Amino acid sequence: MNSAFTSWADFFAMGGYAFYVWLAVAFTVIPLLGLVLHTCFQHRSILNGVERQQAREQRIRAQKQTEGM
C-alpha cells in the first residue's frame, strides 16, 4: 500500500487545497466538540436537578412525619 503523500508537509498542504480541506475539518470538528460539551453540561445539570428534587421530597416527608407525631 502506497501513501498518497510523500511527507507531512505535503499532507498538511493537501495538494494545494489545504485551506478548503482544513476549513471543512474545522467546521465539522468544532460543532461536534461543542455538542459533546453541551451534552455533558446538560447531563450534569439534569442530575443536579434530580438530586435537588429528591432532597426536597425527603425534607417534605420528614416534616410531615414530625408534624404527625
Side-chain angles (χ1 to χ4, degrees), residues 25-42:
V25 169
F27 277 130
T28 302
V29 170
I30 291 171
L32 287 175
L33 288 175
L35 182 62
V36 168
L37 290 174
H38 178 265
T39 302
C40 289
F41 288 132
Q42 195 73 17

Side-chain angles (χ1 to χ4, degrees), residues 2 5 48 66:
N2 293 335
F5 302 103
N48 287 339
T66 58

Side-chain angles (χ1 to χ4, degrees), residues 3-24:
S3 176
F5 302 103
T6 57
S7 68
W8 283 105
D10 287 342
F11 171 74
F12 289 114
M14 290 287 171
Y17 295 101
F19 176 75
Y20 304 106
V21 170
W22 295 116
L23 191 63

Side-chain angles (χ1 to χ4, degrees), residues 49-68:
V50 168
E51 267 184 47
R52 283 192 309 269
Q53 180 68 25
Q54 288 176 344
R56 181 177 180 272
E57 290 173 358
Q58 188 176 11
R59 286 192 310 268
I60 290 171
R61 278 193 302 267
Q63 183 65 30
K64 284 183 180 180
Q65 285 179 353
T66 58
E67 288 177 358

